[in-house]
Amino acid sequence: MSIKNLASINQSFYKKDLISIDQLDPLSIQIIFRTTQHIIDLLQKNEGGDILKGVLATLLFFEPSSRTFSSFAAAIKRLGGVTVEYQNPTTTSSTVKGETLEDTVRVFENYSDIIIMRHPMTGAPIRAAQAAHAPVVNAGDGSGEHPTQALLDMVTLFQRFGRVDHLKGVIAGDLLYGRTVHSLIKAFAMFEGNELYLLSPPELSLPPELMKEFTKKGIKLTQLETEKEIPTDCQFWYWTRVQKERFSDIKEYERVKNRYVVTPELLKERGNKEMVIMHPLPRVGEIDNRIDSDPRALYLTNQVKNGMYIRMALIALIMGKL
Amino acid sequence: MSIKNLASINQSFYKKDLISIDQLDPLSIQIIFRTTQHIIDLLQKNEGGDILKGVLATLLFFEPSSRTFSSFAAAIKRLGGVTVEYQNPTTTSSTVKGETLEDTVRVFENYSDIIIMRHPMTGAPIRAAQAAHAPVVNAGDGSGEHPTQALLDMVTLFQRFGRVDHLKGVIAGDLLYGRTVHSLIKAFAMFEGNELYLLSPPELSLPPELMKEFTKKGIKLTQLETEKEIPTDCQFWYWTRVQKERFSDIKEYERVKNRYVVTPELLKERGNKEMVIMHPLPRVGEIDNRIDSDPRALYLTNQVKNGMYIRMALIALIMGKL
Amino acid sequence: MSIKNLASINQSFYKKDLISIDQLDPLSIQIIFRTTQHIIDLLQKNEGGDILKGVLATLLFFEPSSRTFSSFAAAIKRLGGVTVEYQNPTTTSSTVKGETLEDTVRVFENYSDIIIMRHPMTGAPIRAAQAAHAPVVNAGDGSGEHPTQALLDMVTLFQRFGRVDHLKGVIAGDLLYGRTVHSLIKAFAMFEGNELYLLSPPELSLPPELMKEFTKKGIKLTQLETEKEIPTDCQFWYWTRVQKERFSDIKEYERVKNRYVVTPELLKERGNKEMVIMHPLPRVGEIDNRIDSDPRALYLTNQVKNGMYIRMALIALIMGKL
C-alpha cells in the first residue's frame, strides 16, 4: 500500500468521534496499531514531542477515574498538546445549576479541539457527540463502552503475537457488568479464528443475548465451569475484577469476588511459556502479587504503557496530525 | 493614532489589577476590543501561540466554576502560558488550617506572574489585590463583580454592530442578584445613547438605588411589565438565569424561574432580523432549545469564544505582551 | 573542583529517590544549594525555561496540600516540564476500588519520568519508592518527613549567611508532632557548630529520644522555658504552627496554640539587626502581621520562592538535566 493511500486511510479518523468499538473495522484497528507503533518508535528516538502542538483537549470527566484520566492527560502532554481538565464536575457549578449535558459540551467545545469524556451514565458520550461539532472520544460511560481500553488490550496482544486473529484465550471475572470485557469480545469478534474461554461465577456470566450476538459475529465462545478446564495452549489469560459497587449485598460480593485467582500454582498447572497474563486494573486480589515479576505478566507494564500510546495514536489521527 | 501612542496606551494595563468594571473607561474598553480582535486575527493565521510564553498564571478558585475556570485556562494555555490550578481550595489544606486570604495570596504570588481569583465572598479579590504585588484579576466574587463577563458581552456586541453606543436592548431575568447584569449595565452606561429595557419578576427587579446610580451616569433604563412591551427594534436581547441558590423557598423559585422565556413565538412577535440573543449561561430553560440553531443566537458560540479571547487580550495586556 | 568532577557528583542524584533528609550528606546538600543558585541565575536572565523539556512529572497527592502542590507544579512548569496532577485520590476511583498503593504507583510510573508523592500515612513514599522504577520524591508523609521543606529552609539561611554551620537559632512551636522541625534539626545536625534553642509548650516539646538522637549527631540543643530566655545574638527565629488537627481536645489546643507569638515587642527585646524570621506556613497567629513588612521576615517571600527553586534544582538533578 502506498504512502498516499495510507494517508487517505488515516483520513477516516479525521475529526471523527470515537464512542464505540462498533465504529471500527479490522482495517481501522490496524491503522491504530500501526500509528501506535509509529509513535512508540518516534518517542524512542526522542522525537514526536510536538505532534499535538497547538492542540487543546478538554478532559471532561463526570466521574472520577485516576488511571484513564492520567493516561489521556499524559498522552496529550507528552506529544506537546495542552489540556483543560475537568474532573468530577457533577458536583460543580454548571451541572448543579441545572445545565443540560448538551449545553455543557457545546460550551466546552468553543475552547477545545477535541473532547475526551467520561460519564457514569451509559449513552452520555453519544449525546455529547451529537451536540458537539468538536470530536468526542468516549473514555468510559457507565456500563456502556470503553473503546480505548479494548484497543490497548488488542495492541498489547498484537505486539506480542504479531496478530489479533486465530488467538485462543481465557476471559475471567465479571462478564455480566464488565464493559471492558464486552468491548474486548466485540473487538476479537472482528478478526477471524479467535476462541475465547469464559470463566465467571454463575451470577456474573455473560448474558445469553450477548453470547448469541457475539457468536453470530463468528467468534467461538466456550463457557468453563472451573479453572481446571482452562486449555493449556492459550495465548492469553485476561482476568478482570469483580466490581464491589455492582452488589447490593456485600456478603454476596465477598462470596464471589475471589472465586478465580491467578496463582503461581494455577499458572504452572494450566499455563504455558508463550502466554501472557493481562488485567485492565485495578485488581483487588484476582492476580497473586507473586505473578507481578513474571515476564508473562503485562498488566502493570505493557498494557498501561500501551494505554497511553494508543490514546496518543487515536488523538493524533483524529486531529489529522499523523 | 501612531503605533507608539498605542503602545503607551496599552501600558495602562501593565501589571495592573482588574477587580471591577469601574476601573475601566471607554478608551480602555476600546483597547481591549482592539487587542481581542488582534488576537483573533493572529490565531486565525495559526500565530500567537507563544504570546504568553514564560507566563505562569495561578487560577485561585475558591468556588467551583466550570466555565469561567476553563475559559481562563484555555486562554492562557492556547497562548503558550502555563497554569497552576487551584479549584475549590476552601476545603483544602491551608484554608482549613486557618490561614488568612492575604497569606494565601502572598504565598501564591511567589510562584505566579498573575493571579486569577474566584471567590464566594464579595470583596475578596480587592483584599487579594491589596495584599499581592502580582496583578490580580477578578473572575467573579459572590454578588459582587465579574468584569470579564461584562467585557465579553460588550465585545460580542461590538463585533456584530461595530459599536457599543446608541444600542437598544432588553435585559431580562434576575436583575436583583445578578452580578453579571450589574457589571454589564455599568459598562453600557459608559457609552453614549444606550437604552436598556428591563424585564424581571417584581421580586427580582433592579434595586432602586442601582437604578438611580446607573441613570445618573446617563443611561436610559425602562422597566417593562411584560414581554409584550419589548420594543421591536432592539439590537439585542440579553436573558439571564434566575438563580435557584438565591431562594430559601423553593416554591417561590419555581413560581418565578421561567416567568420570561425566549421562544420562537416571542422572537417572531417582538424580534427582528438584525438583533442578537445573548445569555451568560448556564441556562435552565430561559431560552427555548429551538432557538439554538438560529443565527441570531450567540450564547453557545460567539459569547463563549469571546470569553476566551477577551481573557487572552486582558492577560496579554497586563503581562505587557501586546 | 573541576567541571568534570562536579558533573560526576551531580550524578549522585540521577534517577534516585528522595524520601528522607537522612539520605543526604553535607556535600549533596551543597550540590543542591549550588544548583538552586544556578537556576536562580538562569531565570534572572530569562534562561532555563526548557531545562525540564520532555519531562513528565506526576504529582500524586493523597492528601490536600495547596502550597506544596503548587510549589512543585510551578517548579516543573516554569522549567518547561509537564505534569499529570492527582490531588486527594483517596476519594477517587482506584483507591476506593481497593487497589494497593504499590499497584497505583506502578501504574502511574508508566506515564511518568518522576513521581512526587504526598501521603497522610508515614512511610507511604518508601513503599512507593520500593515498588516503582521511576524516582519518587517525598512531598510530605504524615508525621514522617518533608525533606524539600528542610532544604528550602537551609538554602534560605545559606543565601543570607553564606553558610549553614556555626549558626545559632530558635525553633519554636510544635516540636512534638512537627515533621518539618524534625527534618530541619536533622539537617542542621549534619553541619558543624550549630546551636538550636527550643521553645515549646511542655505538651509539645521535642521527644527525649529525638533530643538524644540529634544531640548524639553533634548538634547543641537547649530547651528554653520562656521567650525571655532567647539569646539576643541568634541568626534566626524559626517559628511553627501548633497543629489543631493533632489535638483531640479543642480546649487543650486553644490553651497552647498561641503560647509563643513573634511580636514587634518581642523582636525588639530579644532580636537583633542581622537575624531572620522564618516560618514554614501556614501560620495562624504565631507571627504578628505587623512583622510582615520587616525586611528580616522571610516567611512570605524568600522561603516560598526558595521552595520552588530548590524543587526545580532537585528535579533537574534527579532527571540528569543539570
Side-chain angles (χ1 to χ4, degrees):
Chain A
M1 196 175 284
S2 75
I3 294 288
K4 202 180 152 197
N5 284 352
L6 282 185
S8 78
I9 289 168
N10 286 5
Q11 285 297 320
S12 65
F13 288 93
Y14 185 57
K15 301 231 167 158
K16 294 287 197 309
D17 307 304
L18 181 63
I19 306 301
S20 162
I21 203 80
D22 290 335
Q23 297 171 254
L24 302 175
D25 58 18
L27 180 58
S28 55
I29 289 179
Q30 280 164 33
I31 292 170
I32 293 174
F33 287 175
R34 196 174 43 206
T35 310
T36 302
Q37 191 54 49
H38 179 54
I39 286 176
I40 292 172
D41 294 343
L42 285 174
L43 294 176
Q44 203 78 38
K45 296 182 282 182
N46 281 316
E47 293 172 14
D50 57 1
I51 289 175
L52 293 181
K53 192 159 185 254
V55 170
L56 190 151
T58 292
L59 303 178
L60 215 49
F61 275 53
F62 291 83
E63 171 182 73
S65 165
S66 60
R67 113 189 22 256
T68 304
F69 180 86
S70 48
S71 178
F72 271 108
I76 295 155
K77 291 173 177 184
R78 280 206 177 275
L79 297 188
V82 295
T83 57
V84 166
E85 305 186 355
Y86 228 80
Q87 293 183 63
N88 209 8
T90 44
T91 61
T92 59
S93 155
S94 298
T95 312
V96 166
K97 290 172 186 164
E99 186 173 64
T100 64
L101 177 67
E102 282 77 5
D103 271 18
T104 302
V105 170
R106 289 202 62 189
V107 166
F108 276 98
E109 75 165 332
N110 282 287
Y111 320 130
S112 316
D113 299 303
I114 184 169
I115 292 172
I116 316 296
M117 178 185 263
R118 172 91 161 206
H119 206 287
M121 188 172 62
T122 305
I126 297 180
R127 284 175 53 197
Q130 283 164 346
H133 303 92
V136 174
V137 174
N138 183 0
D141 60 323
S143 59
E145 291 232 28
H146 192 0
T148 55
Q149 176 71 45
L151 288 169
L152 80 88
D153 292 331
M154 296 298 274
V155 87
T156 301
L157 289 166
F158 184 78
Q159 280 174 353
R160 188 58 70 111
F161 298 106
R163 66 175 197 276
V164 289
D165 53 64
H166 298 92
L167 292 177
K168 190 188 270 196
V170 183
I171 299 194
D174 173 6
L175 308 184
L176 174 58
Y177 300 111
R179 69 180 164 202
T180 296
V181 163
H182 299 167
S183 290
L184 185 59
I185 299 175
K186 272 189 199 173
F188 274 118
M190 287 185 213
F191 295 88
E192 277 186 15
N194 288 315
E195 290 178 52
L196 300 181
Y197 294 84
L198 309 177
L199 186 61
S200 62
E203 302 88 333
L204 295 173
S205 64
L206 192 68
E209 66 278 14
L210 282 182
M211 177 72 103
K212 215 158 124 189
E213 180 194 325
F214 295 147
T215 305
K216 217 166 64 186
K217 287 180 177 164
I219 191 163
K220 195 174 157 208
L221 298 176
T222 308
Q223 182 78 45
L224 302 180
E225 298 296 316
T226 149
E227 60 268 51
K228 307 282 179 207
E229 300 171 20
I230 295 177
T232 55
D233 61 345
C234 282
Q235 272 91 22
F236 65 91
W237 290 6
Y238 191 98
W239 241 251
T240 67
R241 179 172 66 94
V242 172
Q243 297 178 61
K244 196 176 182 175
E245 55 270 39
R246 300 295 182 191
F247 288 81
S248 50
D249 182 355
I250 188 77
K251 276 185 212 146
E252 179 76 5
Y253 165 71
E254 293 294 341
R255 205 169 54 73
V256 303
K257 72 168 178 175
N258 282 339
R259 174 66 191 80
Y260 302 111
V261 175
V262 181
T263 59
E265 294 71 32
L266 181 64
L267 200 50
K268 197 166 180 188
E269 199 187 313
R270 311 298 309 162
N272 62 65
K273 290 263 180 270
E274 276 66 43
M275 65 175 288
V276 296
I277 305 155
M278 298 170 73
H279 192 296
L281 302 181
R283 65 171 163 173
V284 285
E286 308 87 31
I287 300 181
D288 190 306
N289 285 343
R290 288 171 296 167
I291 308 289
D292 297 0
S293 54
D294 190 306
R296 295 171 290 182
L298 307 185
Y299 41 89
L300 286 169
T301 51
N302 301 44
Q303 275 181 282
V304 184
K305 276 198 172 62
N306 283 332
M308 179 176 68
Y309 294 137
I310 205 105
R311 287 165 184 131
M312 287 173 164
L314 189 65
I315 295 170
L317 286 167
I318 293 173
M319 293 286 94
K321 299 292 190 181
L322 278 181
Chain B
M1 198 176 283
S2 75
I3 294 290
K4 204 179 152 196
N5 283 353
L6 282 186
S8 79
I9 289 167
N10 286 5
Q11 285 297 318
S12 66
F13 288 92
Y14 186 56
K15 302 230 166 157
K16 293 288 198 310
D17 306 304
L18 181 63
I19 306 302
S20 164
I21 203 79
D22 290 335
Q23 296 171 255
L24 302 175
D25 58 18
L27 179 59
S28 53
I29 289 178
Q30 281 165 31
I31 291 170
I32 293 174
F33 287 176
R34 194 174 45 205
T35 309
T36 301
Q37 191 55 51
H38 178 54
I39 286 176
I40 292 172
D41 294 342
L42 285 174
L43 294 176
Q44 202 78 39
K45 296 182 282 181
N46 281 316
E47 293 174 15
D50 57 0
I51 289 175
L52 292 181
K53 191 159 188 256
V55 170
L56 190 151
T58 293
L59 302 179
L60 214 50
F61 275 53
F62 290 83
E63 172 182 74
S65 165
S66 61
R67 119 188 15 257
T68 304
F69 181 86
S70 49
S71 178
F72 271 108
I76 295 156
K77 291 172 177 184
R78 279 207 179 274
L79 296 189
V82 295
T83 57
V84 166
E85 304 187 355
Y86 227 79
Q87 293 184 64
N88 210 8
T90 45
T91 61
T92 59
S93 157
S94 299
T95 311
V96 167
K97 290 171 186 163
E99 186 173 64
T100 64
L101 177 67
E102 282 77 5
D103 271 19
T104 301
V105 170
R106 289 202 62 188
V107 166
F108 276 97
E109 74 165 332
N110 282 286
Y111 320 129
S112 316
D113 298 304
I114 185 169
I115 292 171
I116 316 295
M117 178 185 263
R118 172 91 161 205
H119 206 289
M121 187 173 60
T122 306
I126 297 180
R127 283 175 53 197
Q130 283 164 345
H133 303 90
V136 174
V137 173
N138 183 0
D141 61 323
S143 58
E145 292 232 28
H146 192 1
T148 56
Q149 176 70 47
L151 287 169
L152 80 87
D153 292 331
M154 295 298 275
V155 88
T156 300
L157 289 167
F158 184 77
Q159 280 175 355
R160 188 56 72 112
F161 299 107
R163 67 177 197 276
V164 288
D165 53 65
H166 299 92
L167 292 177
K168 189 188 271 197
V170 183
I171 299 193
D174 172 6
L175 308 184
L176 175 58
Y177 301 112
R179 68 180 164 203
T180 296
V181 163
H182 299 167
S183 290
L184 185 59
I185 300 177
K186 272 189 199 174
F188 274 119
M190 286 185 214
F191 295 88
E192 276 185 17
N194 290 314
E195 290 178 54
L196 300 180
Y197 294 84
L198 309 178
L199 187 62
S200 61
E203 302 87 332
L204 295 172
S205 63
L206 193 69
E209 66 277 14
L210 282 181
M211 177 70 104
K212 215 157 125 190
E213 182 194 324
F214 295 147
T215 304
K216 218 166 64 185
K217 287 179 178 164
I219 191 163
K220 195 174 156 206
L221 299 176
T222 308
Q223 182 78 46
L224 302 180
E225 299 296 316
T226 149
E227 60 269 52
K228 308 280 179 209
E229 300 170 20
I230 295 177
T232 56
D233 61 344
C234 283
Q235 272 90 23
F236 64 91
W237 291 7
Y238 192 98
W239 241 251
T240 67
R241 179 173 65 96
V242 171
Q243 298 178 61
K244 196 175 181 176
E245 55 269 39
R246 301 296 183 191
F247 288 80
S248 49
D249 182 355
I250 189 76
K251 276 186 213 145
E252 178 76 6
Y253 165 71
E254 293 295 341
R255 204 170 55 73
V256 302
K257 72 169 178 175
N258 282 340
R259 174 66 191 81
Y260 302 110
V261 175
V262 182
T263 59
E265 294 72 32
L266 181 63
L267 201 51
K268 196 165 180 189
E269 199 186 313
R270 312 297 309 162
N272 61 65
K273 290 263 179 271
E274 275 66 43
M275 66 177 287
V276 296
I277 306 156
M278 297 171 72
H279 192 296
L281 302 181
R283 65 171 163 173
V284 286
E286 307 87 32
I287 300 181
D288 190 306
N289 285 343
R290 289 171 294 166
I291 308 289
D292 296 1
S293 53
D294 190 305
R296 294 171 291 182
L298 306 186
Y299 41 90
L300 285 169
T301 51
N302 301 43
Q303 275 181 283
V304 184
K305 276 199 171 61
N306 283 332
M308 179 176 68
Y309 294 138
I310 205 104
R311 286 164 184 131
M312 286 173 164
L314 188 65
I315 295 170
L317 286 167
I318 293 173
M319 292 287 94
K321 300 292 190 182
L322 278 180
Chain C
M1 196 177 284
S2 76
I3 294 291
K4 203 180 153 196
N5 283 352
L6 282 185
S8 78
I9 289 167
N10 286 4
Q11 284 297 319
S12 66
F13 288 93
Y14 185 57
K15 301 231 167 156
K16 294 286 197 310
D17 306 304
L18 181 64
I19 305 302
S20 162
I21 203 79
D22 290 335
Q23 297 170 255
L24 302 176
D25 59 17
L27 178 59
S28 55
I29 289 179
Q30 280 165 32
I31 291 171
I32 293 174
F33 287 176
R34 196 174 43 205
T35 309
T36 301
Q37 191 54 50
H38 178 55
I39 286 176
I40 292 171
D41 294 344
L42 284 174
L43 294 176
Q44 203 78 38
K45 295 182 283 180
N46 281 316
E47 293 172 16
D50 56 2
I51 289 175
L52 293 180
K53 191 158 186 255
V55 170
L56 190 151
T58 292
L59 303 178
L60 214 50
F61 274 54
F62 291 83
E63 170 182 76
S65 165
S66 60
R67 119 189 15 257
T68 304
F69 180 86
S70 49
S71 178
F72 271 108
I76 295 155
K77 292 173 177 184
R78 280 206 177 275
L79 297 189
V82 295
T83 57
V84 167
E85 304 187 354
Y86 228 80
Q87 292 183 65
N88 209 9
T90 44
T91 60
T92 59
S93 152
S94 298
T95 312
V96 166
K97 290 171 185 163
E99 186 173 64
T100 64
L101 177 67
E102 281 78 5
D103 271 19
T104 301
V105 170
R106 290 202 62 190
V107 166
F108 276 98
E109 74 166 333
N110 281 287
Y111 320 129
S112 316
D113 298 303
I114 184 170
I115 292 172
I116 316 295
M117 177 185 264
R118 172 92 160 204
H119 206 288
M121 187 173 60
T122 306
I126 297 180
R127 283 176 53 197
Q130 283 164 347
H133 303 91
V136 174
V137 173
N138 182 1
D141 61 323
S143 58
E145 291 231 30
H146 194 359
T148 55
Q149 176 70 45
L151 287 169
L152 80 87
D153 292 331
M154 296 297 274
V155 88
T156 301
L157 289 166
F158 184 78
Q159 280 175 354
R160 189 57 71 111
F161 298 108
R163 67 175 197 277
V164 287
D165 53 63
H166 298 91
L167 292 177
K168 190 189 270 195
V170 183
I171 298 194
D174 173 5
L175 308 184
L176 175 58
Y177 300 111
R179 68 181 164 202
T180 296
V181 162
H182 299 167
S183 290
L184 185 59
I185 298 176
K186 272 190 200 173
F188 274 118
M190 287 186 211
F191 295 87
E192 277 186 15
N194 289 315
E195 291 179 52
L196 300 180
Y197 294 84
L198 309 177
L199 186 62
S200 62
E203 301 89 334
L204 296 173
S205 64
L206 192 67
E209 66 278 15
L210 282 182
M211 177 71 104
K212 216 157 123 190
E213 181 194 324
F214 295 147
T215 304
K216 218 167 64 187
K217 287 179 177 163
I219 192 165
K220 196 175 156 206
L221 299 176
T222 308
Q223 181 78 47
L224 302 180
E225 298 296 316
T226 149
E227 61 268 52
K228 307 282 180 207
E229 299 171 20
I230 296 177
T232 56
D233 61 345
C234 283
Q235 270 90 24
F236 64 90
W237 289 7
Y238 191 97
W239 241 251
T240 67
R241 178 174 67 96
V242 172
Q243 298 179 61
K244 196 175 180 176
E245 54 268 40
R246 301 295 183 191
F247 288 81
S248 49
D249 182 354
I250 189 76
K251 275 185 212 147
E252 179 76 5
Y253 165 71
E254 294 294 339
R255 206 170 54 74
V256 302
K257 72 169 178 175
N258 283 339
R259 173 65 192 81
Y260 302 110
V261 175
V262 182
T263 58
E265 295 71 33
L266 180 63
L267 200 51
K268 196 165 182 190
E269 199 186 313
R270 311 299 308 163
N272 62 66
K273 290 263 179 270
E274 275 67 42
M275 66 176 287
V276 296
I277 305 156
M278 297 170 71
H279 192 295
L281 301 181
R283 65 172 163 173
V284 285
E286 308 87 31
I287 301 181
D288 190 306
N289 285 343
R290 288 171 296 165
I291 308 289
D292 297 0
S293 54
D294 190 307
R296 294 170 292 183
L298 306 185
Y299 41 90
L300 285 169
T301 51
N302 301 44
Q303 275 182 281
V304 184
K305 277 199 170 61
N306 284 331
M308 179 176 68
Y309 295 137
I310 205 104
R311 287 165 184 131
M312 287 174 165
L314 190 65
I315 295 170
L317 286 167
I318 294 173
M319 292 288 93
K321 299 292 190 181
L322 278 181

